[in-house]
Amino acid sequence: MTTSPTDDWLELAVEVHMEAVEPVSELFARYGFNEGVVIEEPYLQERDGDNVRVDTSRPVIIRTFLAAADADPAKLEEIRRGLFHLNQIRPVGELVITGRAEEDWAHTWKAFYQPVRVGRKVVVRPPWRDYEEAPGDVVVILDPGMAFGTGTHPTTRLAMMGLEAAITPGDTVLDVGTGSGVLAIAAAKLGAASVDANDIEPVAVRSARENVGRNDLTVAVRVEEGTAGADGPFPGTYSLVVANIIARVLIELVDGITTAVAPGGTLVLAGIIEGREADVIGAYAARGFTVTDRDQIEDWVGMTLRRAS
Amino acid sequence: MAKRVRAYVKLQIPAGKATPAPPIGPALGQHGVAIMNFVKEYNERTAAQTGQIIPVVITVYEDRSFSFVTKTPPAADLLRRAAGIDKGSNNPRTTKVATVTSDQIREIAELKMKDLNAVDMAGAVLQIEGTARSMGIEVA
């Protein structure tokens, strides 16, 4: 037991077999604060984030929390005894108790978010942080929430650098799979005449619209739910299209994305894991696109392509 | 967007009653998740199910954005309701606290089927029966 008298909370954790998850959770919920239980199932996924699934071959960690003032030894003993009995039916690991200090949980996560330089010019800042702009900076205000694209990920940085290099003032821009709207907002601030952005996830559309509003761009940037191309909300053509998704989806959407690029127009792709680069290039080359620029951060690749005029 | 996962967390919490206190605060805060966004969304989506435990699976991505899906109530919660008891047995091997019918087990298995890792209904029924046994609930 790792605790000290100043702890406000006790965290109880135990490692169990998949089949013991339900009864141990039930036991923990009986004693835990707000009946709350945390179940950490090990997972498997491909390197670019595709196909996340639970790994049923490994044990699961179950946690609950007790207010320290409320955690008398008798109660802990009852929990131990409960685990002991469950252990007679299916193996249950050792109970680990760790003291935790009270924190302002609603706000501590904000420490993770600082103004961050995403491209060469573009700086993303959360609404609650100040940032002193240097000459040439383009500041995007972004409330990091549920939608992907907080600016801290290599794929967002690659897409942003590609966008900055490719954009010409007056461009018409389409942002496919906009997430938080970070690229669409940056495009408008970098001089696009108009920006359309789509996403198939309603949460992303809502989040992107809120962020567009925060940056006072509701006239310049339109955000709609749906896919790219003729079946989506924006069936027209654009002088510049950006798509920061993953290789599998970029290949699946190749028709929708390529038809959105006007003849002679530019396409910025990101979110491509190193091993799938050739597949993506192959799919787009078959539709008359040539790679004009390429960049890499860690195992992620971003590229700029031009459509033949 | 390229959503590589940094954490995959399941929480069992009462519908409509999520708060930033434990377990949600520490479970999500350590990954930099915007806790209040989660709390608000969860409570809105589960408001109609107040009184039940609604598990939620949260996927946190590398850039700390996240998504979540709600699941069917835990089998233990459904068994408690079916048996009309507040809690399971403290010593399930020797102390039986209630009895449920095999029809009730089947009903729960059907409701839970989509969230279980069972290949068929027979497998799902076995899992629910196993949970019942470990709570000291007998199947008649």
Side-chain angles (χ1 to χ4, degrees), chain A residues 9 18 22-23 25-27 30-31 33-41 43 45-50 52 54 56 65 81-82 85-86 88-90 100 105-106 108-109 112-113 143-156 175 177-180 182-183 201 203 206 244-246 271 273 298-300, chain B residues 1-14 17-38 40-41 44-45 53 57 59 61-68 73-77 80 86-94 112 116-117 127 130-131 133-135:
Chain A
W9 294 92
M18 197 61 102
E22 283 269 3
S25 302
E26 199 264 342
L27 175 74
R30 233 184 278 165
Y31 297 95
F33 183 78
N34 195 20
E35 298 173 74
V37 177
V38 186
I39 300 168
E40 294 173 14
E41 296 170 315
Y43 62 93
Q45 72 170 148
E46 284 162 36
R47 276 170 67 232
D48 62 356
D50 219 0
V52 184
V54 172
T56 52
F65 294 81
R81 207 175 308 133
H85 288 303
L86 292 175
Q88 311 293 305
I89 301 170
R90 283 196 187 82
R100 302 283 297 253
W105 310 105
T108 40
W109 61 274
F112 287 100
Y113 294 96
D143 194 7
M146 287 186 63
F148 193 88
T150 62
T152 59
H153 201 263
T155 63
T156 310
D175 177 14
T178 191
S180 64
V182 61
L183 296 171
E201 290 178 27
V203 167
R206 190 150 39 103
N244 176 21
I245 318 182
I246 60 171
I273 201 82
E298 295 161 22
D299 49 356
W300 297 102
Chain B
M1 297 274 174
K3 303 196 223 190
R4 198 150 59 185
V5 173
R6 69 179 272 137
Y8 184 83
V9 181
K10 187 171 171 184
L11 294 169
Q12 281 184 194
I13 37 180
K17 288 188 181 161
T19 74
I24 298 167
L28 298 185
Q30 62 172 325
H31 299 299
V33 165
I35 293 164
M36 288 314 293
N37 287 16
F38 169 76
K40 197 166 133 270
E41 288 275 341
E44 267 171 27
R45 278 202 227 168
I53 300 286
V57 177
T59 311
Y61 303 107
E62 276 187 343
D63 77 342
R64 302 194 173 90
S65 61
F66 65 99
S67 64
F68 71 86
D77 198 39
R80 271 202 314 260
D86 284 340
K87 55 178 194 154
S89 168
N90 283 329
N91 186 353
R93 279 203 312 166
T94 55
K112 291 282 300 170
L116 294 174
N117 55 347
Q127 281 191 28
T131 303
R133 265 197 305 278
S134 57
M135 295 169 69

